[in-house]
Amino acid sequence: MSEEMNYKDAYEKLKEEFTDLQQRYFRVRKEAILREDYAASLSSNKAIRTYRKMAVKMGREDPFLKLRPEITQEEAGILYNIDSKSYKNDKLLLRGWSYDRCGMLPNIVIRDRSRLLSFDIQRYPRADVNELLGLNNDFSSGFSIRLPLDQIRNKVITFELENEFGYVARQIKVIIDKKKREAYIRRHAIPSYAVDSAAYDDWFHEHRVTEEELTEQRKMKFPVSPLISIVIPLFNTPEKFLDELMESLLGQSYENIEICLADGSTRDETERQIREKYLGDVRVKYQRLKENTGISGNTNEAIKMASGSWIMLSDHDDTLEKDACFEIVKAINSDPDIDAVYTDEDKLMYSGNIYFSPNFKPDFNPDLLRSNNYITHIFCVRTSIVEAVAEDGVYERPEYDGAQDYDFILRCVEKAKKVYHVPKFLYHWRAHASSTAGNPESKMYAYENGRKAIEAHYARVGIPAKVAQAEDIGSYRSLYEIKGEPLVSIIIPNKDLKDVLKRAVDSIFEKASYRNFEIVICENNSVEPETFSYYEELQKAHENVRVVTWESGFNYSAINNFAVKQARGSYLLFLNNDVEVITDRFIEEMLGYCQRPDTGACGARLYYPNDRLQHCGIVVGIGGIAGHICHMEKRDAGGYFGRIVKTQDVSACTAACLMVRRSVFEEVGGFDEELAVAYNDVDLCLKIREKGYLVVYNAWAMLYHYESLSRGSDDVEKDRAKHERQMKEARRLRARWPEIFEKGDPYFNPNLDYDTSDYILAGTIPPNYSALQKARDEVSKDDKK
C-alpha cells in the first residue's frame, strides 16, 4: 500500500511539474519563433518524457497529445508546401514555404520516428507567396532546410509544422544509401531559377569573390586610379548595420577611396561609434551635422565633403562586396568615355547572411530607366558630371525625397557620354519593414516623387510626355504627345483565311483611337473566291483600305518590301493577319516612341488567345539564335522584375506587330529578302540598332496573336525542306551579326542562361528541362485549340 501511495505521490509531483512545463513550453516556443530558433522545443524535455510514460503506464491518455495534437491544416490554420527535395554534400535539402494564419511563422520540427533531428534553416521572403497571401514583401514565408543525412536511420522521416493548436505532419521518403542517392541526383536535377531566392543564395556564395582573389586584386595597378568618394548620409544608424557597412568599405581591394559620412542623427551613439572605431583610418571623413535636413540634404553635405574624381552613392544600412570598387575602376579603365557605372544588386535579409531577390540588370537601357529606377545601386559617376547637374550647390533635390536618387541618376545620365553596366552582384540592399526594399508600400510618397522626376527629365530633354504610375508599384507609364497627325500605313500580308483577316481588320476599325491610318493588304497567292470578295467589300466600305498583289511565291521580307513601296504613310506598322487588337491606343503608343529622333522601331506586347504571353521583346542568342523572353507567362504576370509590364529598349521585336519610321526603314534597306521566313524581323531590328537607333518594346500596346494561321505552323522537325531553310537562315543571321552572338545580347544579363527564356541562372538547367518546356508548350497548344 505504501508503495502504491509513493507511486501516486510521484505521479502528482510530476503532474505539477508538467503543468509548469506546459506554461514554459508556450512561452519558450513563442520566444524561439521570434528569434527564428526553430530547433528549440520542449517536447524532448526529459521531465516531460518521464511524465508521459507514467501517465500511459497508469492507463491514462498521453497528456502531451492534448498539448500538441496532430490536426488537419484547416484546423491548424497552417498553409505550407514543400516545393522541392534534393541532396547535396550528404545533406537533404528541402525548399518550400509556410504561413500561420495567425500571422506568425509555424515552427518546423523534423523527426526520425520519435527522435528529433537537427537541421539548419534559412527563412527568406517568397515574393510569389507573399503576393498571393497579401503579406509584406519582406515576410519570410520561404524556407530552405539543410538536414545532415548521417543522423537519419529510417527511410521515412516526418516533417511537422506546429502552432498553439497542434501540428500538421507529412512523411518524406529519404534515400540513405549513397549510391542510390547519387543515381537519384542524376535523374532529378532541380533547376536553380534566378527568382528562387534560396537557390540564388547558394549560387551567390559559390560565385562571390574569394580572399585569394582579393589579395591578387590589391596587387594590381591600373593606368587610371581615380579617388572614389563614397558618400553616405547617416541617421540613427543601428550599430550592427553601420559596422557591417564600414567593414565592407574598409576591406575594399581597391584602396584609393574615401568614405564621406554626413551624420544627421538625433542621438550621439552613431558619432561615438564612428570616432571610437573608424576615424583612425585616414580614408574616413566624418561630419556631425547641426541639424537633420533629410536624406537629400544629408547626402548633399556628404557630397560637399568629397574630394575624389568619382562619386559613389551608398545607403547607411547596406553592404558592398569587397571587390566593388575594383570592378568599377576596372570598367573606368576600359573606356575613357565612360562617365557613369552601375552594377547588379540583390537584397540582404534584415538580420543579415541571407541574400535574395537578385536583380540581373541589362546594359544601359534608357527606356527601362523611364519605366522604373532599375539602376538604383551601385551608382558611381564622375564628379564633373555631379557638379554639372547641381543647382545652386544642391545635388540631390529635397522636393524629390524618397526618389531623390532616381532624380539624381536621371540628371546624371542625361550628361554622361557613356553609362557602363558591371554585371556582378556588388551591392546588397538591406530589406526591412520601413525600407522600399523590404516593403514597397512603406513609402508611397516616393513613387509619386518618382513620377515627377521622370516628367522633369522629359522636360529637360525636350520630349513632350506625361507620366502616370503603373499598377506595378514603383513603375511608370509614359504617355507621349503625338506631334501632328502623321499617316500610319498598316501593312498586312495575307493569303486566304478570310475570317482570320476580317477579325484583325475589324478589331482595328472598332478599337483604334488613332484614325489617320491606311491599311495596305498585300495579297499573296490566295485561291479562295471568298477572300477576293472580302477584298472588294473592304475597299468599298473603307476609303483607307487598299489591296496590292504580290505575284511571286511566299517570301515575307520581299512581300513587305513590296507593300512599303505602295504605302503612303511616313510610319509603317507591319502587322500579321492573325492578330486582334486589345488596347485602343496601340497605334499612339508605338507612334509616340517612333517620333523620337533616337528611336527607329517599336514593338508591342502580344498574347496567345489563351492569354499566355507570346512576345515582350526578343533576346538574341536564346536557343542559339533568338527567342522571346518570359514566353508563355500568364496574362496577369509581370515577369522577372516586371519585364513584361515595363516599356524598355530591346535588341529586337517581332514583326507580327512592329512600327518603323519610314525614313529609318529605307535607311537600313528594309527587310533582307534572303531571310524569306525566319529571323527577318530580328535582322531588321539589328540593322536599325547598328545605325544608332533604339528599338523599343512598348508594354502598353497589346494585341492577341494567333500565330502562323495563314501559312500553317512552321514545324521544321517534320519537314526536312523547312528545316534546311531555317538552318540556312539561322546561319545567315549569325554570320551577319557575329559580335552580338559572341558578346551576348546587351539587354540580357550574362549571368542568365541562353538556353531558356525563363531567367534561369547560367549553367543550372537540369537534363529534363527541355522536356518540361515542351510539355508546357503542348498544354498551351491544347488551350489555344
Side-chain angles (χ1 to χ4, degrees):
M1 186 70 176
S2 175
E3 184 179 346
E4 184 180 345
M5 288 297 295
N6 289 338
Y7 192 74
K8 288 182 178 180
D9 288 345
Y11 175 78
E12 292 300 324
K13 185 177 180 180
L14 282 169
K15 185 176 180 182
E16 290 178 12
E17 186 175 354
F18 176 75
T19 303
D20 177 60
L21 285 168
Q22 186 176 8
Q23 300 299 321
R24 286 175 55 202
Y25 174 80
F26 287 113
R27 184 176 69 253
V28 173
R29 179 185 168 278
K30 185 174 182 180
E31 291 171 355
I33 289 173
L34 291 174
R35 67 173 184 270
E36 296 192 358
D37 181 8
Y38 299 99
S41 173
L42 289 179
S43 61
S44 61
N45 184 281
K46 186 176 180 180
I48 288 181
R49 289 203 307 270
T50 304
Y51 173 65
R52 292 173 66 190
K53 288 180 180 178
M54 189 168 291
V56 173
K57 189 173 182 180
M58 294 179 67
R60 300 172 183 266
E61 183 181 359
D62 184 342
F64 198 75
L65 294 179
K66 295 180 180 179
L67 173 66
R68 190 178 179 276
E70 180 176 359
I71 53 180
T72 65
Q73 277 189 254
E74 186 175 351
E75 291 171 332
I78 292 175
L79 303 174
Y80 81 99
N81 190 59
I82 299 175
D83 296 330
S84 67
K85 177 185 75 173
S86 58
Y87 300 91
K88 186 175 182 180
N89 299 331
D90 293 322
K91 290 183 179 180
L92 172 67
L93 275 59
L94 300 174
R95 290 192 177 115
W97 59 271
S98 63
Y99 174 65
D100 187 328
R101 290 188 187 275
C102 295
M104 300 190 65
L105 293 170
N107 186 33
I108 295 177
V109 175
I110 303 179
R111 300 176 185 276
D112 183 355
R113 293 188 179 171
S114 62
R115 285 187 311 110
L116 284 174
L117 301 178
S118 61
F119 55 87
D120 294 325
I121 182 168
Q122 289 183 342
R123 287 280 190 175
Y124 61 94
R126 276 282 297 270
D128 53 343
V129 174
N130 293 349
E131 181 181 357
L132 184 67
L133 299 178
L135 306 174
N136 287 338
N137 282 8
D138 65 335
F139 187 84
S140 297
S141 53
F143 61 77
S144 176
I145 290 172
R146 293 170 176 82
L147 190 153
L149 290 163
D150 58 8
Q151 61 181 322
I152 301 176
R153 300 171 187 168
N154 297 286
K155 295 180 180 180
V156 177
I157 60 175
T158 306
F159 178 89
E160 302 175 359
L161 296 103
E162 61 180 10
N163 60 15
E164 60 268 31
F165 302 112
Y167 71 96
V168 295
R170 173 176 171 177
Q171 291 190 327
I172 298 173
K173 292 182 178 180
V174 181
I175 303 174
I176 300 174
D177 184 85
K178 190 170 184 177
K179 289 185 178 180
K180 291 181 179 179
R181 193 162 63 240
E182 289 173 351
Y184 175 89
I185 292 171
R186 288 193 296 271
R187 291 196 310 270
H188 298 84
I190 296 174
S192 298
Y193 292 95
V195 292
D196 181 341
S197 293
Y200 167 72
D201 186 65
D202 291 342
W203 179 89
F204 173 72
H205 282 94
E206 290 174 5
H207 288 80
R208 75 188 310 183
V209 66
T210 65
E211 287 299 325
E212 291 77 11
E213 289 169 331
L214 289 172
T215 299
E216 291 302 312
Q217 289 175 6
R218 291 187 179 98
K219 298 175 185 176
M220 190 172 294
K221 302 297 181 184
F222 288 103
V224 178
S225 299
L227 176 63
I228 297 180
S229 298
I230 305 170
V231 297
I232 306 170
L234 301 178
F235 182 76
N236 296 338
T237 311
E239 181 179 357
K240 178 178 181 292
F241 296 166
L242 184 54
D243 280 342
E244 290 179 2
L245 170 62
M246 294 301 292
E247 180 188 353
S248 72
L249 294 177
L250 294 174
Q252 289 293 307
S253 60
Y254 178 81
E255 297 178 342
N256 192 21
I257 64 172
E258 64 177 10
I259 303 166
C260 304
L261 304 169
D263 186 7
S265 298
T266 56
R267 55 177 189 250
D268 298 329
E269 287 83 355
T270 302
E271 179 177 4
R272 189 180 306 115
Q273 182 182 359
I274 292 294
R275 292 192 180 280
E276 290 177 357
K277 294 184 177 182
Y278 304 113
L279 279 187
D281 193 309
V282 295
R283 296 175 294 174
V284 179
K285 294 182 176 180
Y286 175 79
Q287 181 182 351
R288 180 71 182 268
L289 304 179
K290 294 180 180 179
E291 61 175 338
N292 175 40
T293 54
I295 189 167
S296 296
N298 294 355
T299 301
N300 289 334
E301 293 302 319
I303 293 175
K304 291 174 184 177
M305 297 165 62
S307 56
S309 57
W310 284 75
I311 300 288
M312 179 195 293
L313 303 181
S314 174
D315 290 345
H316 69 152
D317 53 358
D318 300 334
T319 66
L320 284 74
E321 282 296 290
K322 291 181 180 179
D323 59 336
C325 292
F326 175 88
E327 293 291 347
I328 288 170
V329 173
K330 182 180 174 182
I332 292 169
N333 276 266
S334 70
D335 188 339
D337 287 338
I338 292 173
D339 286 331
V341 179
Y342 68 94
T343 74
D344 292 344
E345 66 184 299
D346 56 24
K347 293 188 176 72
L348 173 64
M349 280 294 291
Y350 180 79
S351 56
N353 300 323
I354 301 175
Y355 302 95
F356 68 102
S357 191
N359 189 350
F360 292 96
K361 302 172 186 176
D363 285 353
F364 184 53
N365 194 319
D367 284 298
L368 181 57
L369 186 59
R370 291 161 178 155
S371 295
N372 85 309
N373 182 12
Y374 82 93
I375 288 179
T376 54
H377 313 102
I378 295 172
F379 183 68
C380 189
V381 61
R382 287 188 191 273
T383 304
S384 57
I385 297 287
V386 175
E387 294 297 339
V389 303
E391 299 176 356
D392 299 323
V394 175
Y395 305 100
E396 292 206 338
R397 302 189 287 185
E399 60 266 36
Y400 294 98
D401 266 356
Q404 72 286 336
D405 286 352
Y406 196 179
D407 171 65
F408 180 73
I409 290 170
L410 286 166
R411 287 185 287 130
C412 287
V413 300
E414 290 166 18
K415 300 284 186 182
K417 290 180 184 177
K418 288 185 179 179
V419 180
Y420 188 87
H421 166 226
V422 178
K424 289 178 177 289
F425 287 88
L426 303 176
Y427 192 95
H428 309 296
W429 191 5
R430 195 180 301 272
H432 50 82
S434 61
S435 75
T436 49
N439 180 13
E441 295 182 358
S442 64
K443 296 180 179 178
M444 291 304 294
Y445 72 90
Y447 303 120
E448 173 58 18
N449 285 344
R451 185 194 66 79
K452 292 177 181 177
I454 304 170
E455 281 197 347
H457 157 72
Y458 279 131
R460 287 191 301 272
V461 299
I463 297 176
K466 297 292 183 183
V467 179
Q469 290 193 48
E471 291 182 9
D472 190 22
I473 291 178
S475 63
Y476 304 91
R477 176 183 184 181
S478 295
L479 298 163
Y480 285 85
E481 181 181 313
I482 305 300
K483 301 170 188 174
E485 197 178 2
L487 178 65
V488 175
S489 294
I490 303 175
I491 296 172
I492 307 176
N494 185 71
K495 177 187 176 182
D496 289 322
L497 294 179
K498 168 237 175 182
D499 291 339
V500 171
L501 176 63
K502 185 176 186 303
R503 177 177 56 209
V505 172
D506 286 352
S507 71
I508 295 170
F509 280 107
E510 290 170 6
K511 295 188 176 180
S513 54
Y514 188 84
R515 305 311 293 179
N516 192 23
F517 65 83
E518 66 169 0
I519 297 178
V520 179
I521 298 172
C522 193
E523 152 58 31
N524 64 99
N525 302 297
S526 294
V527 294
E528 297 173 359
E530 64 174 8
T531 302
F532 297 97
S533 298
Y534 178 62
Y535 290 159
E536 291 181 13
E537 177 188 325
L538 258 182
Q539 292 176 97
K540 288 179 182 178
H542 303 283
E543 293 182 353
N544 58 343
V545 175
R546 289 184 294 125
V547 178
V548 298
T549 303
W550 170 257
E551 307 213 350
S552 298
F554 182 84
N555 181 315
Y556 181 87
S557 296
I559 290 169
N560 279 287
N561 288 341
F562 170 77
V564 167
K565 294 174 183 176
Q566 321 301 316
R568 301 170 183 146
S570 53
Y571 294 88
L572 310 170
L573 176 52
F574 298 100
L575 204 66
N576 278 20
N577 64 343
D578 55 350
V579 300
E580 182 179 1
V581 176
I582 297 174
T583 53
D584 57 2
R585 280 181 48 86
F586 80 107
I587 294 178
E588 293 100 313
E589 289 290 349
M590 292 184 284
L591 180 58
Y593 282 89
C594 285
Q595 285 191 317
R596 278 183 3 200
D598 66 343
T599 302
C602 185
R605 191 190 327 178
L606 304 180
Y607 286 99
Y608 293 115
N610 64 347
D611 283 325
R612 292 280 183 169
L613 183 77
Q614 191 233 352
H615 173 267
C616 68
I618 291 173
V619 171
V620 177
I622 280 188
I625 305 296
H628 296 185
I629 58 171
C630 302
H631 188 239
M632 302 302 299
E633 289 279 5
K634 294 180 180 178
R635 177 70 176 269
D636 58 356
Y640 179 72
F641 275 86
R643 291 291 193 268
I644 297 172
V645 295
K646 292 171 184 172
T647 296
Q648 63 203 269
D649 305 311
V650 293
S651 288
C653 285
T654 176
C657 179
L658 180 69
M659 183 179 287
V660 184
R661 194 158 72 248
R662 186 186 193 112
S663 60
V664 174
F665 185 82
E666 293 172 348
E667 182 183 354
V668 302
F671 288 103
D672 180 0
E673 296 183 12
E674 291 297 315
L675 299 173
V677 179
Y679 311 123
N680 37 53
D681 44 10
V682 176
D683 178 73
L684 175 68
C685 289
L686 292 179
K687 289 193 293 185
I688 290 171
R689 283 181 44 76
E690 186 182 40
K691 293 292 184 180
Y693 300 105
L694 294 172
V695 174
V696 178
Y697 156 67
N698 190 312
W700 304 99
M702 289 182 267
L703 300 88
Y704 284 118
H705 184 202
Y706 295 80
E707 194 173 27
S708 302
L709 285 177
S710 59
R711 287 189 56 250
S713 175
D714 198 19
D715 193 343
V716 298
E717 293 182 4
K718 296 180 181 178
D719 190 316
R720 184 177 180 83
K722 287 182 178 180
H723 176 73
E724 290 177 354
R725 184 263 308 153
Q726 187 183 53
M727 290 300 99
K728 179 183 176 182
E729 292 176 339
R731 287 192 296 270
R732 181 175 179 82
L733 186 74
R734 291 185 67 94
R736 185 163 188 168
W737 306 105
E739 185 175 356
I740 192 168
F741 283 102
E742 180 182 343
K743 294 183 177 179
D745 191 311
Y747 299 119
F748 193 68
N749 193 288
N751 293 298
L752 299 173
D753 206 304
Y754 275 86
D755 285 338
T756 170
S757 65
D758 290 336
Y759 285 90
I760 292 179
L761 287 163
T764 62
I765 297 181
N768 62 343
Y769 184 76
S770 296
L772 295 172
Q773 276 191 315
K774 190 171 184 179
R776 182 182 65 179
D777 292 343
E778 288 299 324
V779 170
S780 176
K781 288 178 183 177
D782 291 342
D783 288 346
K784 282 192 281 186
K785 291 175 184 177

